[in-house]
Amino acid sequence: MDSRVLLKRDIKEKQELVNIILDRFLPRKDEYPKDIHKAIRYSVFAGGKRLRPYLSMLAYQLFKKDVEPVIPVAGAIEMIHTFTLIHDDLPDIDDDDYRRGKESCHKVFGEGIALLAGDALLISAFELITYANLEPEIKVQMIRELAQGIGVNGLISGQMLDIESEGKKGSQKTLSIIHENKTARLIRLSLRFGALAAHATDLELKIIDDYGSKIGLAFQIIDDLLDIEGNAEELGKTVGKDEDQQKVTYPALYGIEESHRQAETLIDQAKQSIHKFGERALLFEALADYLLQRKS
Ligand code: GRG
Protein backbone atom coordinates (compact mmCIF):
# COMPACT_ATOMS: atom_id res chain seq x y z
CA MET A 1 0.00 0.00 0.00
CA ASP A 2 1.11 3.58 -0.72
CA SER A 3 2.99 4.95 2.31
CA ARG A 4 0.82 8.12 2.31
CA VAL A 5 -2.32 6.01 2.65
CA LEU A 6 -0.70 3.99 5.43
CA LEU A 7 0.34 7.18 7.18
CA LYS A 8 -3.13 8.70 6.96
CA ARG A 9 -4.66 5.57 8.44
CA ASP A 10 -2.04 5.32 11.19
CA ILE A 11 -2.47 8.99 12.17
CA LYS A 12 -6.23 8.52 12.44
CA GLU A 13 -5.91 5.40 14.60
CA LYS A 14 -3.42 7.03 16.94
CA GLN A 15 -5.42 10.27 17.16
CA GLU A 16 -8.26 8.15 18.50
CA LEU A 17 -5.99 6.49 21.08
CA VAL A 18 -4.78 9.82 22.41
CA ASN A 19 -8.30 11.25 22.47
CA ILE A 20 -9.48 8.26 24.50
CA ILE A 21 -6.79 8.62 27.17
CA LEU A 22 -7.33 12.38 27.41
CA ASP A 23 -11.07 11.89 27.74
CA ARG A 24 -10.57 9.29 30.48
CA PHE A 25 -7.98 11.29 32.36
CA LEU A 26 -9.43 14.79 32.31
CA PRO A 27 -12.24 15.60 34.75
CA ARG A 28 -15.76 15.74 33.24
CA LYS A 29 -16.98 19.20 32.37
CA ASP A 30 -19.77 19.06 34.94
CA GLU A 31 -17.34 18.38 37.80
CA TYR A 32 -16.97 21.09 40.41
CA PRO A 33 -15.84 23.84 39.76
CA LYS A 34 -17.34 23.44 36.32
CA ASP A 35 -15.82 26.32 34.35
CA ILE A 36 -12.20 25.23 34.69
CA HIS A 37 -12.99 21.71 33.43
CA LYS A 38 -15.12 23.13 30.63
CA ALA A 39 -12.28 25.42 29.56
CA ILE A 40 -9.72 22.60 29.64
CA ARG A 41 -11.92 20.27 27.60
CA TYR A 42 -12.88 23.06 25.22
CA SER A 43 -9.24 23.62 24.24
CA VAL A 44 -8.07 20.01 24.33
CA PHE A 45 -10.96 18.74 22.20
CA ALA A 46 -11.18 21.76 19.89
CA GLY A 47 -9.31 19.76 17.25
CA GLY A 48 -5.61 19.73 16.59
CA LYS A 49 -3.51 17.37 14.54
CA ARG A 50 -2.16 15.45 17.58
CA LEU A 51 1.23 15.49 15.86
CA ARG A 52 3.33 15.31 19.02
CA PRO A 53 1.56 12.32 20.60
CA TYR A 54 1.62 10.65 17.19
CA LEU A 55 5.40 11.04 17.13
CA SER A 56 5.76 9.41 20.56
CA MET A 57 3.70 6.43 19.50
CA LEU A 58 5.43 6.14 16.14
CA ALA A 59 8.88 6.20 17.76
CA TYR A 60 7.80 3.57 20.29
CA GLN A 61 6.57 1.31 17.52
CA LEU A 62 9.89 1.53 15.76
CA PHE A 63 11.04 -0.92 18.43
CA LYS A 64 7.92 -2.56 19.87
CA LYS A 65 4.71 -4.01 18.44
CA ASP A 66 2.15 -2.78 20.95
CA VAL A 67 1.61 0.88 21.77
CA GLU A 68 -0.23 0.85 25.12
CA PRO A 69 2.66 1.67 27.50
CA VAL A 70 3.48 4.94 25.78
CA ILE A 71 -0.09 6.26 25.42
CA PRO A 72 -0.13 8.16 28.77
CA VAL A 73 3.17 9.81 27.81
CA ALA A 74 1.72 10.77 24.42
CA GLY A 75 -1.40 12.19 26.13
CA ALA A 76 0.75 14.17 28.56
CA ILE A 77 2.69 15.74 25.70
CA GLU A 78 -0.54 16.79 24.00
CA MET A 79 -1.69 18.36 27.28
CA ILE A 80 1.52 20.37 27.48
CA HIS A 81 1.21 21.41 23.84
CA THR A 82 -2.40 22.53 24.38
CA PHE A 83 -1.32 24.47 27.46
CA THR A 84 1.29 26.36 25.39
CA LEU A 85 -1.37 27.21 22.80
CA ILE A 86 -3.80 28.55 25.42
CA HIS A 87 -1.13 30.73 27.03
CA ASP A 88 0.34 31.77 23.68
CA ASP A 89 -3.06 33.12 22.59
CA LEU A 90 -3.43 35.36 25.66
CA PRO A 91 -3.52 39.13 24.95
CA ASP A 92 -0.20 39.75 26.69
CA ILE A 93 1.59 37.03 24.74
CA ASP A 94 0.61 36.51 21.08
CA ASP A 95 -2.91 37.90 21.39
CA ASP A 96 -4.83 35.55 19.14
CA ASP A 97 -8.61 35.24 19.02
CA TYR A 98 -8.77 31.97 17.10
CA ARG A 99 -7.23 28.58 17.60
CA ARG A 100 -8.02 25.16 16.19
CA GLY A 101 -10.86 26.69 14.20
CA LYS A 102 -12.63 28.07 17.24
CA GLU A 103 -12.44 31.10 19.48
CA SER A 104 -9.40 30.99 21.76
CA CYS A 105 -9.86 29.78 25.32
CA HIS A 106 -9.63 33.27 26.85
CA LYS A 107 -12.19 34.67 24.36
CA VAL A 108 -14.75 32.14 25.57
CA PHE A 109 -13.88 31.78 29.26
CA GLY A 110 -11.93 34.95 30.09
CA GLU A 111 -8.23 35.44 30.72
CA GLY A 112 -8.20 34.26 34.33
CA ILE A 113 -9.80 30.92 33.54
CA ALA A 114 -7.63 30.48 30.42
CA LEU A 115 -4.52 31.01 32.54
CA LEU A 116 -5.71 28.45 35.06
CA ALA A 117 -6.76 25.96 32.37
CA GLY A 118 -3.25 26.15 30.90
CA ASP A 119 -1.64 25.78 34.33
CA ALA A 120 -3.84 22.79 35.12
CA LEU A 121 -2.91 21.05 31.86
CA LEU A 122 0.80 21.65 32.45
CA ILE A 123 0.72 20.29 35.99
CA SER A 124 -1.56 17.32 35.32
CA ALA A 125 0.60 16.27 32.37
CA PHE A 126 3.37 15.31 34.76
CA GLU A 127 0.87 13.30 36.81
CA LEU A 128 -0.28 11.42 33.70
CA ILE A 129 3.27 10.35 32.87
CA THR A 130 3.56 8.67 36.27
CA TYR A 131 0.64 6.35 35.38
CA ALA A 132 2.40 4.91 32.31
CA ASN A 133 3.22 1.24 32.59
CA LEU A 134 6.96 1.86 32.25
CA GLU A 135 9.99 1.46 34.51
CA PRO A 136 10.14 4.19 37.20
CA GLU A 137 13.66 5.23 36.10
CA ILE A 138 12.43 5.87 32.56
CA LYS A 139 9.52 7.96 33.84
CA VAL A 140 11.85 9.99 36.08
CA GLN A 141 14.13 10.60 33.10
CA MET A 142 11.17 11.76 31.00
CA ILE A 143 9.89 14.06 33.74
CA ARG A 144 13.37 15.57 34.11
CA GLU A 145 13.90 16.05 30.36
CA LEU A 146 10.40 17.48 29.95
CA ALA A 147 10.90 20.00 32.77
CA GLN A 148 14.22 21.01 31.20
CA GLY A 149 12.76 21.15 27.70
CA ILE A 150 9.83 23.40 28.52
CA GLY A 151 11.46 25.42 31.31
CA VAL A 152 13.58 28.58 31.32
CA ASN A 153 16.27 26.93 29.25
CA GLY A 154 13.76 25.55 26.76
CA LEU A 155 10.30 26.53 25.58
CA ILE A 156 10.02 29.52 27.91
CA SER A 157 13.29 31.00 26.65
CA GLY A 158 12.12 30.52 23.04
CA GLN A 159 8.86 32.30 23.77
CA MET A 160 10.66 35.00 25.78
CA LEU A 161 12.96 35.78 22.84
CA ASP A 162 9.99 35.68 20.49
CA ILE A 163 8.30 38.42 22.54
CA GLU A 164 11.50 40.38 23.06
CA SER A 165 12.37 40.40 19.36
CA GLU A 166 9.02 41.81 18.20
CA GLY A 167 9.58 44.91 16.11
CA LYS A 168 13.33 44.33 15.88
CA LYS A 169 15.33 43.17 12.87
CA GLY A 170 16.53 40.00 14.60
CA SER A 171 19.60 37.95 13.75
CA GLN A 172 19.85 34.45 12.32
CA LYS A 173 21.16 33.33 15.70
CA THR A 174 18.14 34.71 17.58
CA LEU A 175 15.80 33.17 15.02
CA SER A 176 17.32 29.74 15.36
CA ILE A 177 17.22 29.90 19.19
CA ILE A 178 13.54 30.93 19.05
CA HIS A 179 12.54 28.16 16.63
CA GLU A 180 14.61 25.48 18.32
CA ASN A 181 13.15 26.19 21.75
CA LYS A 182 9.64 27.35 20.93
CA THR A 183 8.77 24.52 18.59
CA ALA A 184 11.47 21.98 17.72
CA ARG A 185 12.26 21.07 21.31
CA LEU A 186 8.84 19.57 22.16
CA ILE A 187 8.68 17.82 18.80
CA ARG A 188 12.10 16.25 19.40
CA LEU A 189 11.17 15.26 22.96
CA SER A 190 7.94 13.66 21.78
CA LEU A 191 9.90 11.32 19.51
CA ARG A 192 12.63 10.78 22.08
CA PHE A 193 10.15 9.72 24.78
CA GLY A 194 8.68 7.08 22.49
CA ALA A 195 12.16 5.72 21.89
CA LEU A 196 13.15 5.95 25.58
CA ALA A 197 10.00 4.06 26.59
CA ALA A 198 10.98 1.30 24.15
CA HIS A 199 14.56 1.06 25.55
CA ALA A 200 16.27 2.42 22.45
CA THR A 201 20.07 2.45 22.57
CA ASP A 202 22.07 5.70 22.70
CA LEU A 203 22.87 5.36 19.02
CA GLU A 204 19.21 4.84 18.15
CA LEU A 205 18.25 7.82 20.32
CA LYS A 206 20.79 9.95 18.50
CA ILE A 207 19.19 9.16 15.15
CA ILE A 208 15.72 9.88 16.55
CA ASP A 209 16.96 13.18 18.08
CA ASP A 210 18.48 14.21 14.78
CA TYR A 211 15.28 13.42 12.86
CA GLY A 212 13.29 15.31 15.55
CA SER A 213 15.45 18.44 15.40
CA LYS A 214 15.23 18.55 11.62
CA ILE A 215 11.47 18.04 11.30
CA GLY A 216 10.92 20.31 14.33
CA LEU A 217 12.72 23.23 12.72
CA ALA A 218 11.11 22.52 9.34
CA PHE A 219 7.70 22.45 11.09
CA GLN A 220 8.17 25.99 12.41
CA ILE A 221 9.50 27.28 9.06
CA ILE A 222 6.36 25.88 7.38
CA ASP A 223 4.30 27.47 10.16
CA ASP A 224 5.92 30.84 9.36
CA LEU A 225 5.21 30.33 5.65
CA LEU A 226 1.60 29.29 6.26
CA ASP A 227 1.10 32.53 8.18
CA ILE A 228 1.79 34.27 4.84
CA GLU A 229 0.60 31.81 2.21
CA GLY A 230 -1.95 29.76 4.15
CA ASN A 231 -5.71 29.84 4.40
CA ALA A 232 -7.19 30.89 7.76
CA GLU A 233 -10.08 28.44 7.46
CA GLU A 234 -7.85 25.45 6.76
CA LEU A 235 -5.37 26.51 9.43
CA GLY A 236 -8.05 27.25 12.02
CA LYS A 237 -6.19 30.36 13.14
CA THR A 238 -5.59 33.94 12.05
CA VAL A 239 -3.07 34.48 9.23
CA GLY A 240 -0.79 37.44 8.55
CA LYS A 241 -0.14 38.00 12.24
CA ASP A 242 3.64 37.64 12.09
CA GLU A 243 3.99 40.62 9.78
CA ASP A 244 1.51 42.68 11.81
CA GLN A 245 3.40 41.96 15.00
CA GLN A 246 6.77 42.30 13.25
CA LYS A 247 7.93 38.89 14.38
CA VAL A 248 11.36 37.48 13.65
CA THR A 249 10.52 34.64 11.23
CA TYR A 250 12.22 32.70 8.45
CA PRO A 251 10.40 34.53 5.62
CA ALA A 252 11.15 37.90 7.27
CA LEU A 253 14.86 37.11 7.46
CA TYR A 254 15.46 34.92 4.41
CA GLY A 255 12.50 35.60 2.11
CA ILE A 256 9.74 33.19 1.06
CA GLU A 257 11.61 31.19 -1.59
CA GLU A 258 14.69 30.65 0.51
CA SER A 259 12.52 29.62 3.49
CA HIS A 260 10.81 26.98 1.32
CA ARG A 261 14.23 25.80 0.19
CA GLN A 262 15.55 25.53 3.75
CA ALA A 263 12.46 23.61 4.89
CA GLU A 264 12.91 21.17 1.97
CA THR A 265 16.58 20.68 2.84
CA LEU A 266 15.75 19.97 6.47
CA ILE A 267 13.07 17.45 5.48
CA ASP A 268 15.54 15.71 3.14
CA GLN A 269 18.14 15.58 5.91
CA ALA A 270 15.55 14.21 8.37
CA LYS A 271 14.63 11.45 5.90
CA GLN A 272 18.27 10.56 5.30
CA SER A 273 18.86 10.35 9.02
CA ILE A 274 15.87 8.12 9.83
CA HIS A 275 16.58 5.95 6.80
CA LYS A 276 19.28 4.33 8.94
CA PHE A 277 16.41 2.24 10.36
CA GLY A 278 15.74 0.88 6.86
CA GLU A 279 12.22 -0.22 5.96
CA ARG A 280 11.02 0.34 9.52
CA ALA A 281 11.34 4.09 8.85
CA LEU A 282 8.76 4.15 6.05
CA LEU A 283 6.11 6.06 8.02
CA PHE A 284 8.70 8.51 9.38
CA GLU A 285 9.72 9.34 5.83
CA ALA A 286 6.11 9.71 4.70
CA LEU A 287 5.44 11.91 7.73
CA ALA A 288 8.38 14.18 6.91
CA ASP A 289 6.96 14.67 3.40
CA TYR A 290 3.49 15.30 4.78
CA LEU A 291 4.84 18.00 7.13
CA LEU A 292 6.43 19.78 4.19
CA GLN A 293 3.19 19.76 2.22
CA ARG A 294 0.78 20.42 5.06
CA LYS A 295 -1.84 23.13 4.70
CA SER A 296 -3.04 23.09 8.31
C1 GRG B 1 6.27 25.89 28.55
C2 GRG B 1 5.94 26.98 30.78
C3 GRG B 1 5.87 27.07 29.33
C4 GRG B 1 5.37 28.21 28.75
C5 GRG B 1 4.97 28.28 27.38
C6 GRG B 1 3.23 30.32 25.56
C7 GRG B 1 4.53 29.65 25.50
C8 GRG B 1 5.31 29.58 26.76
C9 GRG B 1 5.02 29.08 24.38
C10 GRG B 1 4.29 29.09 23.09
C11 GRG B 1 4.89 28.09 22.19
C12 GRG B 1 4.15 27.99 20.90
C13 GRG B 1 2.68 28.21 20.87
C14 GRG B 1 4.84 27.69 19.82
C15 GRG B 1 4.23 27.52 18.49
C16 GRG B 1 4.35 26.09 18.10
C17 GRG B 1 3.39 25.75 17.01
C18 GRG B 1 3.85 25.83 15.61
C19 GRG B 1 2.13 25.42 17.33
C20 GRG B 1 1.13 24.90 16.39
O1 GRG B 1 1.20 23.49 16.47
P1 GRG B 1 0.26 22.55 15.63
O2 GRG B 1 0.16 23.08 14.23
O3 GRG B 1 -1.15 22.79 16.36
O4 GRG B 1 0.72 21.15 15.79
P2 GRG B 1 -2.41 21.79 16.51
O5 GRG B 1 -3.56 22.71 16.80
O6 GRG B 1 -2.58 21.01 15.24
O7 GRG B 1 -2.12 20.91 17.69
Side-chain angles (χ1 to χ4, degrees), residues 46-287:
K49 295 180 283 298
R50 308 298 195 222
L51 168 68
R52 294 149 192 83
Y54 179 70
L55 292 172
S56 299
M57 293 188 253
L58 193 63
Y60 185 82
Q61 284 193 318
L62 194 53
F63 308 99
K64 306 263 187 200
K65 271 213 154 55
D66 63 341
V67 74
E68 292 301 317
V70 83
I71 294 177
V73 176
I77 288 177
E78 182 63 21
M79 286 167 67
I80 289 185
H81 169 60
T82 307
F83 139 71
T84 69
L85 301 180
I86 296 173
H87 279 204
D88 191 57
D89 291 338
L90 287 167
D92 276 346
I93 304 202
D94 251 17
D95 191 13
D96 217 314
D97 290 352
Y98 292 97
R99 176 67 70 179
R100 293 180 162 171
K102 294 170 101 174
E103 279 194 300
S104 308
C105 192
H106 68 273
K107 292 297 288 179
V108 180
F109 297 93
E111 286 175 41
I113 293 176
L115 257 175
L116 291 176
D119 293 342
L121 282 167
L122 169 64
I123 295 162
S124 306
F126 286 90
E127 180 192 346
L128 183 53
I129 292 180
T130 69
Y131 299 138
N133 189 14
L134 297 167
E135 292 82 344
E137 305 75 47
I138 292 181
K139 290 190 275 190
V140 170
Q141 185 175 349
M142 287 176 180
I143 287 170
R144 186 190 311 118
E145 289 193 18
L146 193 53
Q148 289 167 342
I150 64 177
V152 274
N153 293 317
L155 228 145
I156 290 186
S157 67
Q159 187 63 20
M160 182 66 215
L161 281 175
D162 187 87
I163 295 173
E164 221 172 56
S165 314
E166 265 178 37
K168 298 186 187 149
K169 171 119 183 24
S171 65
Q172 295 185 2
K173 188 168 170 232
T174 315
L175 179 65
S176 78
I177 299 174
I178 292 175
H179 280 27
E180 153 60 19
N181 286 293
K182 199 179 80 165
T183 306
R185 193 87 177 247
L186 195 57
I187 288 182
R188 176 157 48 84
L189 283 179
S190 306
L191 283 152
R192 186 175 164 81
F193 287 0
L196 275 176
H199 307 114
T201 64
D202 286 348
L203 188 63
E204 288 163 341
L205 280 169
K206 202 167 170 295
I207 300 170
I208 298 271
D209 281 343
D210 190 43
Y211 173 84
S213 305
K214 301 277 166 39
I215 62 159
L217 181 52
F219 188 85
Q220 184 57 55
I221 299 176
I222 307 293
D223 208 72
D224 290 351
L225 285 163
L226 285 172
D227 188 68
I228 299 170
E229 302 177 323
N231 173 298
E233 216 166 297
E234 276 179 279
L235 281 167
K237 60 180 181 183
T238 325
V239 293
K241 281 196 68 234
D242 290 342
E243 201 185 345
D244 289 352
Q245 295 177 334
Q246 293 185 295
K247 290 275 188 191
V248 182
T249 64
Y250 262 73
L253 226 66
Y254 297 100
I256 292 182
E257 257 180 57
E258 175 60 15
S259 301
H260 275 292
R261 210 192 54 75
Q262 293 204 29
E264 278 163 31
T265 306
L266 285 160
I267 291 296
D268 276 348
Q269 289 170 346
K271 282 161 64 182
Q272 273 169 35
S273 196
I274 208 74
H275 196 70
K276 296 184 184 105
F277 288 112
E279 279 187 13
R280 286 191 290 155
L282 192 76
L283 287 181
F284 288 83
E285 292 172 37
L287 179 72

